[in-house]
Amino acid sequence: MLDDRKLAVLRAIVEDYVSTNEPVGSKALADRHNLGVSPATIRNDMAVLEEQGYIAQPHTSAGRVPTDKGYRLFVDRLSTIKPLSIAERRAIETFLSGAYDLDDVVGRTVRLLAQLTRQVAVVQYPSLTRSAVRHVELVPVAEGRLLLVLITNTGRVEQRVIETGQISEESIGHLRALLNTCLDGLGLGEVPAAVADLPDRVGPDERPVAAAVLSVLLETLVEKHEEKIVFAGAANLAAVDFSQSLREVLVALEEQVVLMRLLGETGDSSTVTVRIGTENPDLGLKSTSVVAADYGVGDLTLARLGVLGPTRMDYPSTMGAVRAVARYVGQILAGS
């Protein structure tokens, strides 16, 4: 374990290196930070930090840079996550509250995160399996055809066309009312059991249509919906940090499966998670760090969002921005 003074030296090295992108020497630390000790003592502390793998000497430079292990300790020992300013919070709220549907919410969120953090932003769409039914609509679109519209509490909208044959407006209205009475507020996993006897609840003339609607509804629920992920801000990677590995990072970002693994599993919605360098599962992302958080409605976690950038990132500010945006997205979905 490092004592408080060595932790303060490590913290100063991380902050200076993130700010300047230059290896940090003992004299610069003594000049820029009120560490209360001489440059010679700082040099001794830096030697211990290097020996224990928290900092490293690049090439023949006299200065030191943090390693993945050093960044990890820095993040783990953060006493506070930098809060956003009042102006930033108002701008986020105004920008996101103008969204008119789920696609717009996700699109605005990913652009906003990229702008706030100057990193690559990644946003996962709410999972259909974690959603509940808000409304079911049956709309005649042509003779003998209905459009089934399933709207969830997370803003997802699923649409399917059903071949029904002749059916009256009155029968459509009856079936629509019956579906909404049965399904309103139910989790999507509960729907199959709730509508299993749907054809038995209608008259003989309506049973063929009810059976067709039921079949399409269940197909919609059991289909394996690919977890959709969007990202923005790839141009932010055009920095010196990625002079050697930028191509590998961009290739990794093109893979949806990689992005899913990148964001990680959902967990405690109040926690911002950070993966640093070699902690990332994909070889192409060993020079990056990922900051991610869950978003959801109330106690229900729906999906995750986050940012990817070089390991030399401003962790307190990035973590604050990711946490704030995740909270606002949840509030927008809860009120939608």
Side-chain angles (χ1 to χ4, degrees), residues 2 5 26 100 116 141 144 165 172 182-183 204 237 274 317:
L2 300 178
R5 193 183 69 216
S26 56
Y100 55 84
L116 279 174
V141 291
I172 294 172
C182 294
L183 302 181
L237 294 175
V274 181
S317 295

Side-chain angles (χ1 to χ4, degrees), residues 64-306:
R64 302 295 186 274
V65 300
T67 62
D68 288 356
K69 183 179 178 182
Y71 283 124
R72 169 48 62 194
L73 185 60
F74 172 81
V75 169
D76 289 346
R77 293 299 183 93
L78 273 179
S79 56
T80 57
I81 295 176
K82 185 178 177 182
L84 298 181
S85 67
I86 293 174
E88 286 173 323
R89 292 200 300 270
R90 282 178 182 160
I92 291 173
E93 190 172 9
T94 301
F95 186 65
L96 291 182
S97 62
Y100 55 84
D101 62 14
L102 181 63
D103 288 334
D104 197 21
V105 171
V106 172
R108 286 172 182 247
T109 299
V110 77
R111 295 197 306 275
L112 178 66
L113 260 181
Q115 290 168 6
L116 279 174
T117 63
R118 295 183 178 86
Q119 314 286 7
V120 179
V122 185
V123 179
Q124 177 187 11
Y125 268 72
S127 170
L128 195 60
T129 58
R130 296 193 188 103
S131 305
V133 177
R134 173 170 284 176
H135 184 71
V136 179
E137 188 59 66
L138 293 174
V139 183
V141 291
E143 191 170 334
R145 278 187 176 183
L146 287 178
L147 178 67
L148 169 69
V149 183
L150 175 66
I151 303 170
T152 74
N153 64 333
T154 59
R156 288 284 288 262
V157 179
E158 297 291 323
Q159 301 182 35
R160 298 290 186 276
V161 174
I162 307 169
E163 302 289 341
T164 61
Q166 293 291 339
I167 182 171
S168 67
E169 288 282 351
E170 183 181 358
S171 294
I172 294 172
H174 179 223
L175 198 51
R176 180 192 300 120
L178 188 57
L179 283 168
N180 282 294
T181 300
C182 294
L183 302 181
D184 183 38
L186 281 187
L188 297 192
E190 303 172 279
V191 169
V195 296
D197 62 346
L198 181 67
D200 297 331
R201 301 190 204 179
V202 298
D205 293 343
E206 296 175 352
R207 281 177 191 163
V209 176
V213 170
L214 176 60
S215 175
V216 171
L217 177 62
L218 295 180
E219 283 175 13
T220 302
L221 297 179
V222 301
E223 282 177 0
K224 292 184 178 178
H225 290 269
E226 182 182 6
E227 296 290 358
K228 187 177 176 185
I229 287 187
V230 295
F231 70 91
N236 291 328
L237 294 175
V240 65
D241 303 71
F242 290 109
S243 58
Q244 301 299 319
S245 58
L246 177 58
R247 182 180 181 279
E248 286 143 1
V249 174
L250 292 174
V251 168
L253 285 173
E254 291 295 331
E255 296 293 331
Q256 289 279 312
V257 175
V258 170
L259 293 180
M260 286 290 297
R261 287 206 310 267
L262 199 64
L263 289 179
E265 297 295 323
T266 55
D268 181 353
S269 60
S270 65
T271 302
V272 176
T273 59
V274 181
R275 282 183 175 176
I276 298 169
T278 52
E279 297 170 1
N280 285 310
D282 190 275
L283 285 174
L285 300 175
K286 297 304 183 187
S287 58
T288 70
S289 286
V290 178
V291 179
D294 294 341
Y295 69 88
V297 176
D299 294 331
L300 177 65
T301 296
L302 298 174
R304 285 174 73 74
L305 56 78

